[in-house]
Amino acid sequence: MKYRLLGPTGVWVSELSLGAMTFGGTNHPVYSTLGALGREDTERMVGTALDAGINFIDTADVYSDGESEELLGHALRHRRDDVVLATKVYAPTGPGPNDVGWSRLHVTRALDTSLRRLGTDHIDLYQLHNIDPVTPFEEVLAALDDAVHQGKVRYIGCANLAAWQISKALGVSALRNLNRFVSVQAYYSLVGRDVERDLLPMAQAENLAVTVWSPLAGGFLTGKISRDGGSTGPSRRTAEGGQDFPPVDRERGHEVLDVLRTVAGRHGVSIPRVAIAWLLAQPAVTSVIVGARTTDQLTDNIAASGLTLSEQDLAELDAVSRQAPAYPNWIHEMFAPVRNPNA
């Protein structure tokens, strides 16, 4: 396992991290389709990850209505110091109007509840899970800053925010001398490269760690889903109650899968392993979050850390999956040589 710096912190995290969305949720209408792992399976999954060198685990208070945090906390009860533990806050955790969002009221309550469920006195990386359109950054960043000074949180980050929103937050932190985001968690895959337009350049410029969720596009890049929409194996995208999430342009996606099969055959490995290895080869990526239903799936995903794709592999995958630049990126590229005397 290789390790990369978590943004400007000096903390080393494994380039693959374990996602806990598959923990718990047996009777939940959504999370039951994602894995619904119980206590024994969760402990087995966590043990497999740690034994392989993974030291970074990500969950959220909303996963399985908090059961994911509880199961993860129990699995880590004797190995808490072996991991950089991350969780998230924002999504509804109850029926009340203040059981959601970024308000100091909700964040403070949610943090204490997460600490209790995880069975720990601190969270290493506490992340805002989504944008709250009604709470200003000044409010939530001050609350998070207090949590850091209280020792309940070591670092703060965000997930699923736009580049301009993160830049605004960094500006507020600088202006008010508050702890700043050190990381951004974003969806990124060979069939979802939108982040390359603005988010990744911003993250690199601001020295933010980038952690990737759904590297296999919600199971699409396992190669189990056929062009006619059928499935050659268990897939949450085709399971009853499953969601087409994240959204995928299926026609283009199957063109990507065709190239993935070629590259996978060239190396004698699985399609998912190649898809994850491609992400690990992207310079802005710090850690790719892998979640699984079984230890066999997890072991195969972890093996991506040892797969080095050739220049030919990377060029073929880039050619089939690259998106056309969006405005203003294309005009920036057009005039970039004007400021480069060597162009």
Side-chain angles (χ1 to χ4, degrees), residues 16-342:
L16 292 177
S17 40
L18 179 65
M21 189 182 280
T22 58
F23 300 170
T26 301
N27 299 314
H28 195 280
V30 174
Y31 291 97
S32 60
T33 68
L34 301 179
L37 301 183
R39 177 170 290 190
E40 290 186 5
D41 287 334
T42 295
E43 290 193 356
R44 190 176 301 113
M45 201 73 71
V46 170
T48 298
L50 296 184
D51 291 345
I54 287 178
N55 75 339
F56 193 15
I57 302 181
D58 179 84
T59 185
D61 60 1
V62 72
Y63 294 166
S64 299
D65 291 337
E67 190 180 1
S68 172
E69 288 185 332
E70 291 178 355
L71 290 170
L72 178 57
H74 185 268
L76 290 174
R77 64 195 183 281
H78 301 307
R79 303 187 69 174
R80 172 64 182 90
D81 291 340
D82 294 341
V83 303
V84 175
L85 181 59
T87 192
K88 300 184 284 291
V89 60
Y90 163 77
T93 54
N98 293 313
D99 294 331
V100 62
W102 288 0
S103 70
R104 176 182 287 272
L105 180 67
H106 176 63
V107 168
T108 302
R109 287 175 177 172
L111 172 57
D112 286 341
T113 302
S114 287
L115 289 170
R116 175 181 55 77
R117 283 194 292 241
L118 288 164
T120 185
D121 63 356
H122 73 278
I123 290 165
D124 298 307
L125 179 63
Y126 199 47
Q127 305 157 104
L128 300 179
H129 205 166
N130 209 328
I131 189 67
D132 180 347
V134 301
T135 305
F137 278 109
E138 288 82 356
E139 162 101 354
V140 69
L141 290 170
L144 293 174
D145 188 71
D146 286 346
V148 173
H149 288 293
Q150 291 163 0
K152 296 179 179 181
V153 170
R154 297 293 184 256
Y155 303 103
I156 62 172
C158 62
N160 305 313
L161 269 60
W164 71 266
Q165 292 164 336
I166 299 171
S167 295
K168 181 177 181 178
L170 295 175
V172 170
S173 291
L175 180 66
R176 305 203 172 204
N177 195 29
L178 302 171
N179 277 275
R180 75 195 291 271
F181 294 149
V182 302
S183 65
V184 54
Q185 187 177 126
Y187 166 56
Y188 190 17
S189 77
L190 273 164
V191 290
R193 296 178 61 175
D194 304 304
V195 291
E196 294 175 352
R197 291 170 169 164
D198 294 299
L199 195 62
L200 294 191
M202 179 278 303
Q204 289 180 292
E206 297 292 347
N207 193 23
L208 295 177
V210 175
T211 61
V212 175
W213 63 265
S214 203
L216 302 180
F220 183 86
L221 292 179
T222 61
K224 296 176 182 177
I225 300 173
S226 61
R227 274 184 160 83
D228 62 8
S231 177
T232 59
S235 171
R236 73 167 179 82
R237 281 184 174 268
T238 56
E240 183 178 356
Q243 296 178 311
D244 192 25
F245 179 85
V248 172
D249 179 336
R250 298 239 173 168
E251 182 175 348
R252 192 155 187 248
H254 281 289
E255 293 175 359
V256 173
L257 278 169
D258 288 342
V259 177
L260 275 170
R261 288 189 183 91
T262 298
V263 175
R266 197 178 289 155
H267 290 270
V269 299
S270 69
I271 290 173
R273 201 182 300 186
V274 174
I276 294 170
W278 178 84
L279 283 166
L280 292 176
Q282 305 312 302
V285 171
T286 303
S287 187
V288 177
I289 302 170
V290 294
R293 296 169 181 262
T294 68
T295 52
D296 286 343
Q297 290 175 343
L298 180 60
T299 300
D300 185 68
N301 289 346
I302 290 172
S305 181
L307 175 61
T308 301
L309 300 178
S310 68
E311 291 299 322
Q312 179 185 354
D313 298 331
L314 293 171
E316 291 175 359
L317 290 167
D318 180 63
V320 73
S321 64
R322 186 192 312 122
Q323 296 178 337
Y327 176 83
N329 302 56
W330 59 262
I331 201 167
H332 293 170
E333 293 176 9
M334 183 183 300
F335 285 95
V338 173
R339 292 294 291 151
N340 185 353
N342 299 315

